Amino acid sequence: MRATILITSPDRFQAPGMELFDFPPIFAGGPEWFTKPILIALLSSVVVIVLCWAAFARPTIIPRRWQNIGEYAYTFVRDEIARPNLGKDTDRWMGLLFSVFLTVLVWNLMGVVPLIQLPVAAYITFPAVIAISVYVIKIYLGVRHHGVRGYLKGIVHLPGLPGWAYGLYAPLVLAEVLISSLFTHFIRLCANMFAGHMLLAFFSSVGFWFLFERLTPLGAGVGVLGVLMTILLTALEMFIQFLQAYLFAMLAAMYISSGLRGGH
């Protein structure tokens, strides 16, 4: 069940809205920026650091417990995200990609943790910071390894394309690589986490209201349906949370590779 249930009166159900994402400062009179999302983001960083420390601080030849989990996660990122895109440069960028994947995954999973139930990535500024960092790295690598002219030429070059078509093709591909790719990187993650949080809040509110605020024979059925939908959607949301962390890290690897290779 969601921690935030919005009921205005016993006779009228009000669906949850944007107020789900509006939080006052943690401490009365404290800094306005220190709200629940910031606290959860800090907690997420602590969780990632502690898990990595527990897994890799004292590695053994035969992995056990946390080391086993850590190595499985590392191997997954290396084999499924980094290596297909970066090839021989995989090991060089594994630290960044592993950190991005774990951080985004923990951000997302905070949406289903009892008493917390707030996916940090639903706030666009959090994934935007990582996406902008990856974007800067991509541009820096492209210019450093190929020069400005060579990097731009590598982006727009398409074997077999007639010369007259570049007047239409070049602006479109440059806009995609240099502008829209940045926004699609973090907006996809944010939109999925935002929508999932709203759906779970809605169905859990329906279940709570019809079972505890307006209990009738018909209302009981609707309430039970709301609870069942909340359970099913929570399972689906956990899958989506993992998938979005995977896709976000995958795009980061692809963008870094495009900077190194100098192509689109």
Side-chain angles (χ1 to χ4, degrees), residues 174-207:
L174 285 173
E176 191 278 326
V177 173
L178 301 179
I179 301 176
S180 64
S181 63
L182 168 62
F183 294 96
T184 56
H185 193 189
F186 63 84
I187 288 177
R188 178 189 291 106
L189 171 61
C190 176
N192 276 275
M193 294 302 100
F194 177 89
H197 187 63
M198 292 294 291
L199 283 173
L200 288 175
F202 172 78
F203 282 105
S204 60
S205 296
V206 168

Side-chain angles (χ1 to χ4, degrees), residues 160-170:
L161 185 68
W164 61 266
Y166 276 98
L168 177 63
Y169 171 75

Side-chain angles (χ1 to χ4, degrees), residues 2-263:
R2 307 301 292 176
T4 305
I5 306 296
L6 300 177
I7 306 299
T8 57
S9 72
D11 299 322
R12 184 169 178 267
F13 171 76
Q14 179 178 338
M18 292 300 296
E19 63 278 353
L20 287 175
F21 299 92
D22 186 16
F23 293 95
I26 296 293
F27 304 106
E32 294 185 0
W33 58 266
F34 190 46
T35 58
K36 181 178 179 179
I38 297 294
L39 181 61
I40 296 175
L42 294 174
L43 175 62
S44 300
S45 298
V46 172
V47 170
V48 171
I49 293 171
V50 169
L51 289 178
C52 290
W53 183 270
F56 305 116
R58 297 179 180 178
T60 59
I61 297 178
I62 301 177
R64 296 180 180 179
R65 298 178 183 177
W66 291 111
Q67 183 183 345
N68 196 27
I69 297 174
E71 289 188 3
Y72 179 81
Y74 186 90
T75 301
F76 171 79
V77 174
R78 183 192 65 193
D79 295 345
E80 302 299 330
I81 296 176
R83 188 167 287 167
N85 294 288
L86 294 168
K88 63 180 182 179
D89 297 307
T90 293
D91 292 337
R92 179 183 177 187
W93 295 99
M94 267 302 297
L96 174 63
L97 295 176
F98 189 57
S99 299
V100 167
F101 173 77
L102 287 184
T103 298
V104 174
L105 180 60
V106 174
W107 279 357
N108 295 347
L109 290 175
M110 286 296 178
V112 295
V113 175
L115 303 180
I116 297 180
Q117 296 173 295
L118 185 68
V120 177
Y123 292 83
I124 198 167
T125 51
F126 291 99
V129 169
I130 299 180
I132 291 172
S133 300
V134 172
Y135 177 83
V136 171
I137 292 173
K138 175 184 75 171
I139 300 299
Y140 169 77
L141 291 174
V143 173
R144 178 185 177 185
H145 288 276
H146 309 282
V148 175
R149 183 176 179 180
Y151 181 50
L152 295 177
K153 182 179 178 180
I155 292 174
V156 301
H157 178 65
L158 185 64
L161 185 68
W164 61 266
Y166 276 98
L168 177 63
Y169 171 75
L172 293 177
V173 72
L174 285 173
E176 191 278 326
V177 173
L178 301 179
I179 301 176
S180 64
S181 63
L182 168 62
F183 294 96
T184 56
H185 193 189
F186 63 84
I187 288 177
R188 178 189 291 106
L189 171 61
C190 176
N192 276 275
M193 294 302 100
F194 177 89
H197 187 63
M198 292 294 291
L199 283 173
L200 288 175
F202 172 78
F203 282 105
S204 60
S205 296
V206 168
F208 180 90
W209 194 76
F210 279 99
L211 287 177
F212 297 102
E213 297 291 337
R214 194 175 179 84
L215 183 59
T216 64
L218 177 60
V222 176
V224 170
L225 179 61
V227 172
L228 292 177
M229 285 298 297
T230 301
I231 295 173
L232 292 175
L233 286 175
T234 298
L236 177 62
E237 182 67 6
M238 292 179 68
F239 169 75
I240 294 175
Q241 288 166 348
F242 171 82
L243 180 62
Q244 288 302 315
Y246 166 77
L247 291 175
F248 192 89
M250 174 70 76
L251 286 173
M254 292 173 61
Y255 293 154
I256 292 172
S257 176
S258 71
L260 292 171
R261 310 291 185 263

